[in-house]
Amino acid sequence: KHVPYGPGIWPAFWMVNSDIQWPKGGELDILEYANDESNKVTFHTDRACKLNVQKLRRCARKIRQIDPKMIVSCYTNYSSNQLGCMPPQVRKDGEWYAKNPGVIALLWDASGITSFHIPEAEIPADLESNAPKPNTWKDAWRMAFMPFDAETCSDIARPQEIVLNIAICGDWAGNSWFACEECKATGYLPDYCIPGHVTEPATDCCTLYISNPSAEEALKSKAFFDIDYIKVFEPEGSELPRYPAGTYRNGGVFVGDV
């Protein structure tokens, strides 16, 4: 029904393995953006995995209004600006998703990963009856397709946990503050504060805005998730993980944070 958006807001709907050090077990970002930037579907690993470009270009023709920007390598090391793989995709910002409610669906099978946005008025009967048939869904609902290279990406991900979170400021929303028109419209600009000064909250524009009572109404009216359900469907005969999620076994500690 609604996703968070607005100045200083960095929400995410993602999947990650927490049994081993990040990103060895893989991370898939389904919905992630900050400030007024558009969403990016990306995948992260520590292996030399890459997208199947030939298959990607052939199948991406079915996706409308596509942004052609592409990162082929899924290897991720932020310190060396290696950000993981990102296929060409439909890019919408948080406000668009908040004002166009519907189902965000993800298909992950042997062919790769496909994400969909299905408008609320068009949710198909097969999904409503808990018997989804994504191969019959409209091409107009497709947002991204991410086919992995068979040779370099075999067994690329371990069992995943589903994560929903809302971060405030931080590396992304804080550091990109001055590139955001809606952020600048708040009036939190030099010389009053320093954009992207996230390590010094007392002078950081994003932190000062979020901390001020003037931001309260915007946060209440925009920075929230409103979700009817989250459902996971698995093929018949598939084997479930033997143990609970790693974060649960570790007493709430995510291995990637160690």
Side-chain angles (χ1 to χ4, degrees):
K1 299 291 186 180
H2 190 278
V3 298
Y5 70 95
I9 304 304
W10 174 11
F13 173 34
W14 52 298
M15 300 170 64
V16 68
N17 174 271
S18 64
D19 296 317
I20 53 178
Q21 188 74 26
W22 183 90
K24 293 179 183 293
E27 174 189 325
L28 173 65
D29 297 313
I30 306 166
L31 199 68
E32 185 180 24
Y33 50 86
N35 299 328
D36 58 3
E37 296 186 46
S38 55
N39 179 55
K40 294 188 292 186
V41 178
T42 57
F43 187 82
H44 307 278
T45 179
D46 70 331
R47 290 170 46 186
C49 163
K50 60 185 179 180
L51 299 180
N52 184 327
V53 177
Q54 184 177 3
K55 185 175 183 180
L56 177 58
R57 287 177 173 162
R58 183 173 67 250
C59 297
R61 296 172 185 168
K62 299 179 180 181
I63 303 176
R64 303 176 184 177
Q65 299 178 338
I66 197 166
D67 183 330
K69 184 179 179 181
M70 174 171 55
I71 302 175
V72 174
S73 173
C74 301
Y75 177 77
T76 304
N77 185 332
Y78 291 133
S79 62
S80 57
N81 203 36
Q82 293 168 295
L83 307 179
C85 50
M86 181 179 72
Q89 59 193 269
V90 180
R91 302 279 300 273
K92 301 292 185 181
D93 61 19
E95 184 175 8
W96 184 91
Y97 278 102
K99 294 180 177 179
N100 290 272
V103 171
I104 295 173
L106 188 82
L107 171 64
W108 192 339
D109 60 15
S111 68
I113 297 170
T114 306
S115 69
F116 302 85
H117 176 268
I118 307 174
E120 194 170 41
E122 300 179 34
I123 298 174
D126 59 271
L127 186 55
E128 293 275 23
S129 62
N130 293 328
K133 299 177 181 178
N135 291 329
T136 67
W137 292 350
K138 297 179 181 179
D139 289 336
W141 299 342
R142 296 175 187 260
M143 303 296 278
F145 176 55
M146 186 183 295
F148 293 116
D149 176 70
E151 293 185 8
T152 61
C153 303
S154 177
D155 295 324
I156 194 58
R158 296 181 63 157
Q160 302 282 294
E161 300 174 35
I162 298 173
V163 185
L164 277 164
N165 70 273
I166 305 174
I168 295 174
C169 296
D171 289 344
W172 190 350
N175 282 330
S176 61
W177 182 266
F178 204 59
C180 161
E181 293 302 320
E182 190 176 359
C183 300
K184 289 189 286 188
T186 64
Y188 283 79
L189 298 167
D191 293 326
Y192 176 71
C193 55
I194 305 173
H197 213 216
V198 294
T199 58
E200 297 291 341
T203 55
D204 175 56
C205 291
C206 182
T207 305
L208 289 174
Y209 164 72
I210 290 292
S211 304
N212 193 284
S214 64
E216 185 173 345
E217 183 57 35
L219 293 174
K220 285 182 177 180
S221 62
K222 298 179 180 179
F224 66 94
F225 281 108
D226 182 0
I227 300 171
D228 280 351
Y229 57 80
I230 296 178
K231 299 180 181 181
V232 178
F233 302 95
E234 296 180 327
E236 292 184 2
S238 62
E239 294 185 8
L240 294 174
R242 183 178 176 185
Y243 300 107
T247 304
Y248 176 83
R249 297 201 313 275
N250 294 332
V253 177
F254 174 46
V255 175
D257 292 335
V258 174

Short mmCIF file of all heavy atoms in Angstrom, two decimals, residues 12-34:
data_model
loop_
_atom_site.label_atom_id
_atom_site.label_comp_id
_atom_site.label_asym_id
_atom_site.label_seq_id
_atom_site.Cartn_x
_atom_site.Cartn_y
_atom_site.Cartn_z
N ALA A 12 14.74 -0.14 2.30
CA ALA A 12 15.16 -1.29 1.52
C ALA A 12 14.28 -2.51 1.82
O ALA A 12 13.84 -2.72 2.94
CB ALA A 12 16.61 -1.63 1.78
N PHE A 13 14.02 -3.27 0.78
CA PHE A 13 13.38 -4.58 0.85
C PHE A 13 14.37 -5.51 0.17
O PHE A 13 14.58 -5.41 -1.04
CB PHE A 13 12.03 -4.53 0.12
CG PHE A 13 11.33 -5.85 -0.02
CD1 PHE A 13 11.42 -6.84 0.95
CD2 PHE A 13 10.55 -6.11 -1.14
CE1 PHE A 13 10.77 -8.05 0.81
CE2 PHE A 13 9.89 -7.31 -1.30
CZ PHE A 13 9.99 -8.29 -0.32
N TRP A 14 15.01 -6.40 0.93
CA TRP A 14 16.14 -7.13 0.38
C TRP A 14 16.25 -8.52 0.98
O TRP A 14 15.54 -8.87 1.92
CB TRP A 14 17.44 -6.35 0.56
CG TRP A 14 17.74 -5.86 1.95
CD1 TRP A 14 17.00 -4.99 2.69
CD2 TRP A 14 18.88 -6.19 2.76
NE1 TRP A 14 17.61 -4.75 3.91
CE2 TRP A 14 18.75 -5.47 3.98
CE3 TRP A 14 20.01 -6.99 2.58
CZ2 TRP A 14 19.70 -5.56 5.01
CZ3 TRP A 14 20.95 -7.08 3.59
CH2 TRP A 14 20.79 -6.37 4.79
N MET A 15 17.15 -9.32 0.41
CA MET A 15 17.40 -10.68 0.87
C MET A 15 18.90 -10.87 1.05
O MET A 15 19.70 -10.36 0.27
CB MET A 15 16.85 -11.68 -0.15
CG MET A 15 15.35 -11.57 -0.38
SD MET A 15 14.76 -12.54 -1.78
CE MET A 15 15.12 -14.20 -1.22
N VAL A 16 19.26 -11.64 2.09
CA VAL A 16 20.68 -11.81 2.39
C VAL A 16 20.88 -13.13 3.15
O VAL A 16 19.97 -13.60 3.85
CB VAL A 16 21.20 -10.62 3.23
CG1 VAL A 16 20.59 -10.61 4.62
CG2 VAL A 16 22.72 -10.61 3.31
N ASN A 17 22.04 -13.73 2.99
CA ASN A 17 22.41 -14.87 3.81
C ASN A 17 23.28 -14.39 4.96
O ASN A 17 24.23 -13.63 4.76
CB ASN A 17 23.19 -15.89 2.98
CG ASN A 17 23.71 -17.03 3.83
OD1 ASN A 17 24.82 -16.96 4.36
ND2 ASN A 17 22.93 -18.07 3.98
N SER A 18 22.94 -14.80 6.17
CA SER A 18 23.68 -14.34 7.34
C SER A 18 24.47 -15.46 8.02
O SER A 18 24.92 -15.30 9.14
CB SER A 18 22.72 -13.71 8.35
OG SER A 18 21.81 -14.69 8.82
N ASP A 19 24.63 -16.60 7.34
CA ASP A 19 25.36 -17.71 7.94
C ASP A 19 26.88 -17.52 7.84
O ASP A 19 27.62 -18.06 8.65
CB ASP A 19 24.99 -19.03 7.25
CG ASP A 19 23.53 -19.37 7.47
OD1 ASP A 19 23.05 -19.20 8.60
OD2 ASP A 19 22.87 -19.80 6.51
N ILE A 20 27.30 -16.78 6.83
CA ILE A 20 28.73 -16.55 6.63
C ILE A 20 28.96 -15.06 6.36
O ILE A 20 28.02 -14.31 6.12
CB ILE A 20 29.29 -17.39 5.45
CG1 ILE A 20 28.46 -17.17 4.18
CG2 ILE A 20 29.33 -18.86 5.82
CD1 ILE A 20 29.00 -17.93 2.98
N GLN A 21 30.22 -14.65 6.40
CA GLN A 21 30.56 -13.24 6.27
C GLN A 21 30.04 -12.64 4.96
O GLN A 21 30.22 -13.22 3.88
CB GLN A 21 32.08 -13.06 6.34
CG GLN A 21 32.56 -11.62 6.41
CD GLN A 21 32.33 -11.00 7.77
OE1 GLN A 21 32.28 -11.70 8.76
NE2 GLN A 21 32.19 -9.69 7.82
N TRP A 22 29.37 -11.50 5.07
CA TRP A 22 28.86 -10.81 3.88
C TRP A 22 30.02 -10.38 2.98
O TRP A 22 31.06 -9.96 3.48
CB TRP A 22 28.08 -9.57 4.33
CG TRP A 22 27.45 -8.81 3.19
CD1 TRP A 22 26.22 -9.00 2.68
CD2 TRP A 22 28.05 -7.76 2.44
NE1 TRP A 22 25.99 -8.12 1.65
CE2 TRP A 22 27.12 -7.35 1.47
CE3 TRP A 22 29.30 -7.13 2.46
CZ2 TRP A 22 27.37 -6.33 0.56
CZ3 TRP A 22 29.56 -6.12 1.55
CH2 TRP A 22 28.60 -5.74 0.61
N PRO A 23 29.87 -10.49 1.63
CA PRO A 23 28.70 -10.96 0.88
C PRO A 23 28.84 -12.38 0.36
O PRO A 23 28.31 -12.69 -0.71
CB PRO A 23 28.65 -9.95 -0.27
CG PRO A 23 30.11 -9.72 -0.59
CD PRO A 23 30.84 -9.79 0.75
N LYS A 24 29.58 -13.23 1.08
CA LYS A 24 29.86 -14.58 0.58
C LYS A 24 28.60 -15.38 0.27
O LYS A 24 28.57 -16.18 -0.67
CB LYS A 24 30.71 -15.35 1.60
CG LYS A 24 32.12 -14.81 1.79
CD LYS A 24 32.88 -15.63 2.83
CE LYS A 24 34.27 -15.06 3.08
NZ LYS A 24 35.15 -15.21 1.90
N GLY A 25 27.54 -15.19 1.07
CA GLY A 25 26.31 -15.95 0.86
C GLY A 25 25.33 -15.31 -0.09
O GLY A 25 24.27 -15.86 -0.38
N GLY A 26 25.70 -14.12 -0.61
CA GLY A 26 24.84 -13.42 -1.57
C GLY A 26 23.88 -12.44 -0.92
O GLY A 26 23.44 -12.64 0.22
N GLU A 27 23.59 -11.36 -1.64
CA GLU A 27 22.58 -10.38 -1.23
C GLU A 27 21.85 -9.90 -2.47
O GLU A 27 22.47 -9.53 -3.47
CB GLU A 27 23.21 -9.17 -0.53
CG GLU A 27 22.18 -8.07 -0.23
CD GLU A 27 22.81 -6.78 0.28
OE1 GLU A 27 23.82 -6.86 1.00
OE2 GLU A 27 22.30 -5.69 -0.08
N LEU A 28 20.53 -9.91 -2.40
CA LEU A 28 19.70 -9.41 -3.49
C LEU A 28 18.89 -8.22 -3.00
O LEU A 28 18.12 -8.34 -2.04
CB LEU A 28 18.75 -10.50 -4.00
CG LEU A 28 17.72 -10.05 -5.03
CD1 LEU A 28 18.40 -9.60 -6.32
CD2 LEU A 28 16.71 -11.16 -5.32
N ASP A 29 19.05 -7.07 -3.64
CA ASP A 29 18.27 -5.88 -3.31
C ASP A 29 17.10 -5.78 -4.28
O ASP A 29 17.29 -5.59 -5.48
CB ASP A 29 19.15 -4.64 -3.40
CG ASP A 29 20.28 -4.66 -2.38
OD1 ASP A 29 19.99 -4.97 -1.21
OD2 ASP A 29 21.43 -4.39 -2.76
N ILE A 30 15.89 -5.91 -3.74
CA ILE A 30 14.68 -5.89 -4.55
C ILE A 30 14.17 -4.46 -4.70
O ILE A 30 13.76 -4.03 -5.77
CB ILE A 30 13.60 -6.77 -3.91
CG1 ILE A 30 14.15 -8.19 -3.66
CG2 ILE A 30 12.33 -6.81 -4.76
CD1 ILE A 30 13.29 -9.02 -2.73
N LEU A 31 14.19 -3.75 -3.58
CA LEU A 31 13.73 -2.37 -3.55
C LEU A 31 14.68 -1.59 -2.65
O LEU A 31 14.76 -1.85 -1.45
CB LEU A 31 12.30 -2.31 -2.98
CG LEU A 31 11.44 -1.07 -3.25
CD1 LEU A 31 11.08 -1.00 -4.72
CD2 LEU A 31 10.17 -1.11 -2.41
N GLU A 32 15.44 -0.67 -3.22
CA GLU A 32 16.37 0.13 -2.43
C GLU A 32 16.63 1.45 -3.15
O GLU A 32 16.94 1.48 -4.34
CB GLU A 32 17.70 -0.60 -2.21
CG GLU A 32 18.64 0.17 -1.28
CD GLU A 32 19.96 -0.52 -1.03
OE1 GLU A 32 20.38 -1.34 -1.88
OE2 GLU A 32 20.59 -0.23 0.00
N TYR A 33 16.50 2.53 -2.41
CA TYR A 33 16.72 3.87 -2.96
C TYR A 33 16.91 4.82 -1.78
O TYR A 33 16.67 4.46 -0.62
CB TYR A 33 15.52 4.30 -3.82
CG TYR A 33 14.20 4.13 -3.13
CD1 TYR A 33 13.68 5.11 -2.29
CD2 TYR A 33 13.48 2.95 -3.27
CE1 TYR A 33 12.48 4.93 -1.62
CE2 TYR A 33 12.28 2.75 -2.61
CZ TYR A 33 11.78 3.75 -1.79
OH TYR A 33 10.60 3.56 -1.12
N ALA A 34 17.33 6.03 -2.06
CA ALA A 34 17.49 7.04 -1.01
C ALA A 34 17.08 8.40 -1.55
O ALA A 34 17.24 8.69 -2.74
CB ALA A 34 18.95 7.08 -0.54
#
